[in-house]
Amino acid sequence: MISVALAAYNGEKYIEQQILSILPQLSHNDEIIVSDDKPGGQTEHIVRRLMADDPRITYVEGRGKGVVANFTNALRYCKGDYIFLCDQDDVWLDGKVKRVMQAFENGADLVLHNAYITDENLNITDYSFFAGRGSKKGFFHNIIKNSYMGCCMAFNRKLLKRIMPIPRYIPMHDQWIGLLGEVYGKVELIDVPLIYYRIHGNNVTGGETTLRQKLRWRRYLIKRLAGRILFKK
């Protein structure tokens, strides 16, 4: 069973297109968990309308505490053996789920795939997220320069048990998951773009940070990772 954990916040402009790109790739017993951090608006209306036609979609209210807490909330509802992280404003390309599941069948515990970067109208502006980021495996490399982007990640339930609960104040959930994947499992990188990663000026993630912020976040991240690795059996 596959679970798609989708964190939403004011997602009404793109979320329907995203969900409709995912559903044809799922089987009848898979699920999409939408955690909405601003319930009561158009995002909830759209998701509930789609739910009426497809029981694989589940809507849950977020806690209003930001993107990391919102993804954590979605993950708590996931029942699948394999969990795909998902942003509200991208588009999955045909064959994404099939290609990622092949990596799991070959023994991977965590999978990271490439992406096309696009503008808001899905015009491609960069043909390889990996090339621009210098993406590669390795714990220490990804402490210094993170390759892990949540919308391009999937992992198995064995790893889910290691990453949860996600610490509240870490900078981003995806780096936390990726680094624990490096420690506890086999990571596979797929150098093939499997989504359109949409940049539109209002993305919840991907903003610029100062060097001071980056250093402070990494100190906190390393401290939390050390505690998890040393004390969580």
Side-chain angles (χ1 to χ4, degrees):
M1 179 181 179
I2 291 170
S3 294
V4 178
L6 194 163
Y9 179 84
N10 286 340
E12 58 268 13
K13 189 171 183 180
Y14 303 116
I15 196 167
E16 182 168 2
Q17 185 180 22
Q18 170 68 302
I19 290 174
L20 293 179
S21 75
I22 299 169
L23 287 171
Q25 303 190 46
L26 302 180
S27 67
H28 71 279
N29 62 335
D30 295 332
E31 62 180 5
I32 301 176
I33 306 296
V34 180
S35 180
D36 182 5
D37 229 17
K38 195 174 180 181
Q42 284 300 307
T43 299
E44 179 175 357
H45 173 76
I46 291 167
V47 174
R48 291 195 181 280
R49 173 170 52 80
L50 295 171
M51 283 174 59
D53 294 325
D54 199 313
R56 293 176 294 178
I57 305 168
T58 298
Y59 176 90
V60 297
E61 292 189 4
R63 301 178 180 181
K65 295 182 178 179
V67 62
V68 174
N70 201 23
F71 267 109
T72 301
N73 189 54
L75 290 171
R76 292 187 190 282
Y77 287 88
C78 290
K79 299 187 291 289
D81 301 307
Y82 302 97
I83 297 93
F84 287 65
L85 299 182
C86 182
D87 290 347
Q88 65 189 5
D89 39 18
D90 302 325
V91 173
W92 287 18
L93 298 177
D94 291 344
K96 165 176 161 131
V97 171
K98 181 178 180 180
R99 179 65 185 84
V100 171
M101 291 306 298
Q102 288 173 347
F104 284 127
E105 291 167 6
N106 290 332
D109 297 294
L110 184 148
V111 181
L112 176 71
H113 64 73
N114 210 342
Y116 293 121
I117 300 176
T118 78
D119 63 17
E120 61 183 295
N121 298 313
L122 299 182
N123 298 306
I124 297 175
T125 59
D126 192 326
Y127 283 84
S128 174
F129 170 80
F130 277 10
R133 183 62 67 94
S135 299
K136 62 181 181 180
K137 295 187 287 186
F139 182 86
F140 293 105
H141 170 82
N142 283 287
I143 283 282
I144 298 168
K145 187 172 184 180
N146 181 40
S147 301
Y148 290 101
M149 183 163 67
C151 60
C152 297
M153 293 171 63
F155 48 91
N156 60 23
R157 180 157 290 276
K158 180 180 75 172
L159 185 57
L160 178 65
K161 294 177 181 178
R162 291 289 188 179
I163 68 174
M164 295 288 276
I166 302 175
R168 181 177 177 184
Y169 295 110
I170 62 167
M172 285 305 296
H173 58 287
D174 42 16
Q175 188 176 19
W176 170 262
I177 295 169
L179 290 170
L180 287 174
E182 296 277 0
V183 172
Y184 288 115
K186 177 184 176 183
V187 175
E188 180 168 334
L189 270 59
I190 302 174
D191 194 11
V192 176
L194 298 178
I195 67 166
Y196 290 129
Y197 175 55
R198 193 192 315 250
I199 302 293
H200 51 80
N202 294 312
N203 298 72
V204 175
T205 61
E208 293 296 322
T209 55
T210 66
L211 177 60
R212 186 175 181 179
Q213 285 175 314
K214 290 176 180 178
L215 291 173
R216 184 173 69 249
W217 284 346
R218 276 164 177 75
R219 286 197 298 269
Y220 183 81
L221 177 64
I222 291 167
K223 181 179 179 180
R224 291 297 179 182
L225 284 167
R228 181 63 55 90
I229 292 167
L230 290 173
F231 299 113
K232 184 168 183 176
K233 304 300 182 183

